[in-house]
Amino acid sequence: MIKTVEFTSEGYVLLIDQRILPTEEVVVECRDYQQVAEAIRNMTVRGAPAIGVTAAGGVALGAQEIATADMAEFKRRFEEVCDVIAGTRPTAVNLFWAVERMKKAANGNFASVPELKKALRAEADAVLKEDLAINETMGNNGAGLIAAGDTVLTHCNAGALATAGHFGTALGVIKAAHLQGKNIKVFADETRPFLQGARLTAWEMMKEGIDVTLITDNMAGHYMKKGFIQKVIVGADRIAQNGDTANKIGTYTVAVMAKTHGIPFYVAAPLSTIDFAIPDGGHIPIEERNTREVSHVGGKQLAPTGVKILNPAFDVTPNEYISAIITEKGVARAPFQQSLEALRKA
Amino acid sequence: MIKTVEFTSEGYVLLIDQRILPTEEVVVECRDYQQVAEAIRNMTVRGAPAIGVTAAGGVALGAQEIATADMAEFKRRFEEVCDVIAGTRPTAVNLFWAVERMKKAANGNFASVPELKKALRAEADAVLKEDLAINETMGNNGAGLIAAGDTVLTHCNAGALATAGHFGTALGVIKAAHLQGKNIKVFADETRPFLQGARLTAWEMMKEGIDVTLITDNMAGHYMKKGFIQKVIVGADRIAQNGDTANKIGTYTVAVMAKTHGIPFYVAAPLSTIDFAIPDGGHIPIEERNTREVSHVGGKQLAPTGVKILNPAFDVTPNEYISAIITEKGVARAPFQQSLEALRKA
């Protein structure tokens, strides 16, 4: 069982270093909340739900570090901790969801600072535990969409490594279908520039004993045309009210290609990934990352020195390309504004 | 002026090593035809027209190496040389076109082996010289399709480095439009796995002083949706009678995305890239290359050891996605069977 995020008894945050998988398996121990913030920023940990869980642990750790017995002083410094964690990355809404949840937990009526710190620790533990449970439920909810013998294409990594661990979101659906004996095959897009597909999804599928074939991103359309792919399933970093979905750059192209070839395109994400505050995908901020992620691979320079590069980390897939959104509360279909709202209230 | 392929006075074949550009500019000297064959195979030289020119030079060099004065013996060994050169790569038809042209040149009435060798040398020189002239004409034929201020997306490298040098095919059109003062901008797909876009196209455009932005392949759709791209232009490795076009893997996806966004999609290629012997793209053999091109970049392992990988070097874009095919004889539009045939006879 893959453990992506763990909290030690001291409240430290343990993260499997996703920058160096699969050739090295190293666990990083973050002993203060600034280290946690940096680990989110530099993608030691990535994947919207995993970022959420890590953020919850980071906030609890930051609270623990505040050396005061004065409640007002504590609250002031706690806000600073929350701001630092929330400021690490802009797109995945689970980050803000987790920080808000920790803030809400701090709003109770506490007799002392140590009591409040204990409550925050318990809340972070709950966020982690719930994430594991949610993903298993989501996997089972989605497995019915996968037919026996299907080859399923996925983009980026929406697996155990994108969550607290174990199941994952999109790969959770694949794992659940696999556990049902459906004899699933997986095609994994390598997912430039960070190569989450090559490094993480391929590794996870091999660990689970699921038949996986790695391709470069620009091969997916070719294999759809040749009839190799029956389903597409991806995760999400933020879903708007109307179902428009921000996910790893390249997802939009996969969705258009799937529609062109009549292949169902599914998104699997917990409700915490749905941003009910925004009407559509036009309101999702898209992170631009360092161009060195494109120009260099493993320290090796691939492009001319000084060339202009763009590096948006995500794109937005309009809801018309999405066949269904799989959540822990059930499967939503168009019109998504209504179906997602119904799941929220369920 | 970029020189991709040159022949020395000794008949040796000089190739700029395209595996290590842009960080190193090294010219490889092939002193026998087996070295030429290996350079085509290992992609020291690549790009359909460049492969054709190199093959012509390789056949002339191989002929030169045959140490006999007996014409029958010479012809027998000459066939072997031609077979070795033709056997290097399966998709780009320019390779077979060039070998056939050299065979035809050998079929004249020669008084002696040295005279025949001299004719073959002259024929290879003509192939190279014609390639340079053809590309300049093609560039001017296509430049009218590019409007002032356009941002043009290209995939792989169909530039000077894909031809004997100087202009190139798709990039030749861009260069011609640039020389007409049209203030063109270029978006270059990096083009995994071999990264011809990042390594070669970006380098060429910078050398020409053309504004170029490098993106990963999976970003092209995102920027089309955002309205950044007005035209797409690519090269070709083989075009069937009906206009179906084999080109670098990922071209099909770019074409579908262009159509989805109402962006014209152009192919630029010399008539030697058109295989009038096959009715459609289903008859084009697609080369599968070593999986290490996907799993490793610059010697660095990116994917789990032992993972299954597919690595088709090309895909086929059906003619319905192609707005026009630009050749040295003029611009062909649908129905391509008729328009290409008319250009052949022109």
Side-chain angles (χ1 to χ4, degrees), chain A:
Chain A
M1 182 174 140
I2 297 165
K3 290 179 179 179
T4 306
V5 188
E6 288 182 282
F7 307 142
T8 69
S9 54
E10 298 92 341
Y12 300 153
V13 177
L14 301 179
L15 301 169
I16 188 163
D17 190 340
Q18 302 199 34
R19 299 167 302 174
I20 56 176
L21 281 172
T23 44
E24 293 175 67
E25 289 182 37
V26 173
V27 172
V28 173
E29 186 173 74
C30 301
R31 292 179 168 233
D32 62 52
Y33 82 96
Q34 292 283 7
Q35 285 173 10
V36 175
E38 182 54 25
I40 296 173
R41 227 177 271 125
N42 69 23
M43 293 175 68
T44 302
V45 64
R46 31 65 52 198
I51 290 172
V53 173
T54 304
V59 168
L61 179 57
Q64 195 174 300
E65 291 172 58
I66 302 170
T68 180
D70 179 78
M71 188 61 86
E73 164 76 0
F74 176 88
K75 290 264 173 118
R76 197 184 55 68
R77 291 174 58 188
F78 178 70
E79 280 295 322
E80 285 171 17
V81 169
C82 289
D83 287 350
V84 168
I85 296 290
T88 48
R89 295 191 69 191
T91 305
V93 77
N94 311 61
L95 172 64
F96 312 110
W97 169 87
V99 171
E100 282 309 307
R101 184 163 159 174
M102 295 302 283
K103 280 186 182 177
K104 211 169 158 187
N107 277 343
N109 203 2
F110 297 100
S112 70
V113 166
E115 201 184 307
L116 172 46
K117 287 180 176 176
K118 210 172 140 190
L120 288 168
R121 168 65 35 222
E123 190 70 5
D125 287 340
V127 167
L128 188 149
K129 210 173 147 189
E130 285 169 27
D131 186 74
L132 293 172
I134 278 170
N135 292 324
E136 188 158 359
T137 307
M138 198 188 313
N140 289 321
N141 287 347
L145 299 171
I146 312 294
D150 273 354
T151 295
V152 183
L153 175 78
T154 189
H155 188 73
C156 194
N157 172 270
L161 289 165
T163 64
H166 191 25
F167 248 66
T169 56
L171 296 191
V173 173
I174 289 169
K175 288 173 192 176
H178 173 73
L179 291 173
Q180 291 172 6
K182 282 187 173 169
N183 193 26
I184 304 303
K185 288 193 173 77
V186 171
F187 267 50
D189 280 351
E190 67 173 5
T191 317
R192 282 283 290 150
F194 208 69
L195 296 165
Q196 292 92 337
R199 298 191 301 100
L200 310 178
T201 296
W203 181 78
E204 270 196 58
M205 293 291 93
M206 288 173 88
K207 280 221 167 195
E208 299 281 345
I210 297 174
D211 185 312
V212 62
T213 300
L214 176 64
I215 57 173
T216 63
D217 302 303
N218 56 21
M219 293 174 191
H222 173 68
Y223 285 113
M224 287 183 189
K225 178 151 75 86
K226 289 181 84 75
F228 280 49
I229 311 293
Q230 282 75 51
K231 304 282 158 57
V232 177
I233 182 161
V234 300
D237 289 83
R238 192 187 301 208
I239 301 174
Q241 267 177 21
N242 71 345
D244 289 354
T245 294
N247 190 47
K248 181 52 53 195
I249 186 72
T251 302
Y252 169 59
T253 294
V254 174
V256 171
M257 297 307 288
K259 188 160 200 169
T260 299
H261 295 89
I263 298 168
F265 178 91
Y266 300 118
V267 173
L271 284 175
S272 57
T273 300
I274 303 170
D275 186 349
F276 287 99
I278 56 170
D280 59 53
H283 294 77
I284 302 175
I286 299 296
E287 177 181 12
E288 277 281 340
R289 292 188 62 85
N290 195 303
T291 58
R292 199 180 155 93
E293 290 180 359
V294 174
S295 62
H296 290 66
V297 169
K300 169 92 182 159
Q301 180 179 340
L302 308 173
T305 303
V307 67
K308 270 198 291 190
I309 293 173
L310 289 171
N311 186 18
F314 307 97
D315 59 25
V316 174
T317 299
N319 58 15
E320 70 208 71
Y321 292 99
I322 300 171
S323 309
I325 298 174
I326 302 157
T327 78
E328 72 273 30
K329 291 283 190 70
V331 175
R333 292 190 182 263
F336 288 106
Q337 184 133 19
Q338 287 86 325
S339 60
L340 292 175
E341 183 62 25
L343 290 182
R344 169 152 82 149
K345 289 178 177 157

Side-chain angles (χ1 to χ4, degrees), chain A residues 190 192 198-199 211-212 214 217-219 222-223 225 250 252 261 297 302 304 308-310 312 315-316, chain B residues 190 192 198-199 211-212 214 217-219 222-223 225 249-250 252 261 297 302 304 308-310 312 315-316:
Chain A
E190 67 173 5
R192 282 283 290 150
R199 298 191 301 100
D211 185 312
V212 62
L214 176 64
D217 302 303
N218 56 21
M219 293 174 191
H222 173 68
Y223 285 113
K225 178 151 75 86
Y252 169 59
H261 295 89
V297 169
L302 308 173
K308 270 198 291 190
I309 293 173
L310 289 171
D315 59 25
V316 174
Chain B
E190 68 172 4
R192 282 282 288 149
R199 298 191 301 100
D211 185 313
V212 62
L214 175 64
D217 302 303
N218 57 20
M219 292 174 190
H222 173 67
Y223 286 111
K225 178 150 76 85
I249 187 73
Y252 170 58
H261 295 90
V297 170
L302 308 172
K308 269 198 291 191
I309 293 172
L310 288 172
D315 59 25
V316 174

Side-chain angles (χ1 to χ4, degrees), chain B residues 17 24 35 58 107 127 130 137 150 242 340:
Chain B
D17 190 339
E24 293 174 68
Q35 285 173 11
N107 276 343
V127 167
E130 286 169 26
T137 308
D150 274 354
N242 71 345
L340 291 176

